[in-house]
Amino acid sequence: MSSTSLEPKKQGLFANYQPTPGLVRAVDLAGQWAAPIMIVVVLLAAAAFAPAFFNPNNLRTVSIQIAVLGVVAVGQTLVLLVRSIDMSVSAVLALGAVIVVQTKAGNSIWVSLFQAFGIAALVGLANGFLVAKRHVPPFVATFGMLVFVQGARLAYTKGQASGTVPDLLRTVSIEQVGPIPAALIVWLLVNLIVGFTLRYTRVGRWVYAVGGNPGAARYAGINVDWVLIGAHIVCSVLAILGGLLLSGYIGYVDLRLGADYNMNSIAAAVVGGTTFTGGRGSLWGTAAGVALLVMLLNLVVVLGLPIHWQFAIQGIVLVLATALQGLRQFLLSR
């Protein structure tokens, strides 16, 4: 019997397909540059069909929305980089806003902020513990946390979130530093801090190592479990920060606050090139994905289209980005 007969035979329509290096490189570049290219396309479409998009007030609104979603998406990117996901960010976002907005008269806003961020850290710790130590699938663990946090928020507010948004949050969310919204500066600072950590520190190398190959990272002496837990803690803390910016911007808190931020934060990160399989992605790409998604959703409003088109766009963007990732993985596996 020849040795070749012992080799496993590839099955399927593309069993013998061998992509050229040029095609693999082209698909890889498309994944990295799809969001920036689409931003240019959206801007050209807006200039042609919706000039009101460039109204200064609308651009200011878009900037603040980018800042809020961008802060949450930074945290989502971190957990995706370590092969996890966080479906609880929308509930954590809303809970933190409720805690601060319902600060009782005479109580310090700083005490409420400390409580909100402390609770966020505990939620992230619980998510990370379930995923890393108990080996619960990330989607299941964080979705269960979503339900728990939503229930806790309803019990805390008795189903009626009310209160006054503190002046501090209003100032940070809607005021400007020159022509730049303060919320946008907060987002840029978050990107700078987390981006520097990922690129230039040992912790950042650990994050990419754990996402790229957890087994190899563990053999290299990296504490994989604590990297996972740390990523989830940071994700929850940034979700709280996003919730504070959002409540300060809109001026109130209701039961629907931040409901779309689970899918939007995931879509923004994936569109920006962060993979579900971990170890690959950048905050630069996520920032481009955030800008693209917010601009598309805003364009729906400016064009006067039915609001359900926003949901269609969210789904289309996520599906296309995931399909592009799948094509890239397929080509690399050949």
Side-chain angles (χ1 to χ4, degrees):
M1 183 181 294
S2 65
S3 59
T4 56
S5 64
L6 299 177
E7 296 177 357
K9 295 183 179 181
K10 295 181 178 179
Q11 302 294 327
L13 182 62
F14 299 100
N16 298 316
Y17 176 67
Q18 294 293 330
T20 64
L23 177 59
V24 175
R25 179 61 176 164
V27 172
D28 192 31
L29 286 174
Q32 296 178 39
W33 290 95
I37 291 172
M38 284 304 301
I39 288 174
V40 175
V41 173
V42 170
L43 289 174
L44 292 175
F49 303 107
F53 178 87
F54 297 98
N55 180 284
N57 288 332
N58 187 63
L59 290 178
R60 179 173 172 274
T61 298
V62 169
S63 298
I64 295 174
Q65 291 173 346
I66 286 174
V68 176
L69 177 58
V71 168
V72 180
V74 168
Q76 194 70 255
T77 300
L78 284 177
V79 293
L80 287 171
L81 283 175
V82 294
R83 295 194 179 192
S84 192
I85 197 170
D86 194 338
M87 298 299 298
S88 66
V89 292
S90 63
V92 175
L93 178 155
L95 179 62
V98 165
I99 291 172
V100 175
V101 168
Q102 292 197 325
T103 300
K104 296 180 180 179
N107 288 358
S108 170
I109 178 63
W110 299 107
V111 173
S112 296
L113 288 173
F114 179 80
Q115 291 173 341
F117 283 109
I119 290 173
L122 288 175
V123 171
L125 178 64
N127 281 334
F129 178 81
L130 290 173
V131 173
K133 297 294 188 180
R134 308 310 303 168
H135 306 293
V136 179
F139 182 91
V140 176
T142 58
F143 187 80
M145 187 61 67
L146 165 74
V147 176
F148 172 77
V149 173
Q150 283 182 334
R153 176 170 55 109
L154 289 173
Y156 178 73
T157 62
K158 297 180 174 59
Q160 294 182 331
S162 61
T164 303
V165 175
D167 293 337
L168 175 64
L169 296 187
R170 294 289 288 170
T171 299
V172 174
S173 299
I174 66 176
E175 293 298 324
Q176 296 191 177
V177 180
I180 304 175
L184 199 63
I185 295 176
V186 173
W187 172 55
L188 293 174
L189 288 174
V190 169
N191 273 278
L192 285 174
I193 294 170
V194 178
F196 179 87
T197 302
L198 287 176
R199 187 174 180 86
Y200 297 109
T201 71
R202 183 180 300 177
V203 173
R205 292 190 289 273
W206 291 347
V207 167
Y208 281 101
V210 168
N213 191 326
R218 186 172 280 108
Y219 280 118
I222 298 173
N223 193 322
V224 173
D225 291 349
W226 278 108
V227 172
L228 269 168
I229 292 171
H232 275 285
I233 291 174
V234 174
C235 183
S236 292
V237 168
L238 290 178
I240 285 284
L241 180 58
L244 298 179
L245 292 175
L246 180 60
S247 61
Y249 166 59
I250 64 177
Y252 63 89
V253 172
D254 63 18
L255 297 180
R256 285 283 302 166
L257 182 72
D260 298 329
Y261 276 69
N262 281 336
M263 186 165 73
N264 286 351
S265 62
I266 295 169
V270 173
V271 168
T274 302
T275 65
F276 285 113
T277 52
R280 184 179 178 85
S282 68
L283 295 188
W284 179 88
T286 296
V290 167
L292 173 61
L293 191 59
V294 170
M295 289 165 58
L296 282 171
L297 299 180
N298 182 266
L299 196 57
V300 169
V301 177
V302 174
L303 289 171
L305 298 174
I307 200 66
H308 58 256
W309 275 99
Q310 288 194 349
F311 298 104
I313 288 174
Q314 291 169 341
I316 291 171
V317 168
L318 184 56
V319 168
L320 290 178
T322 305
L324 186 61
Q325 281 192 16
L327 176 61
R328 177 183 174 276
Q329 293 296 326
F330 168 76
L331 293 178
L332 290 177
S333 68
R334 307 311 298 169

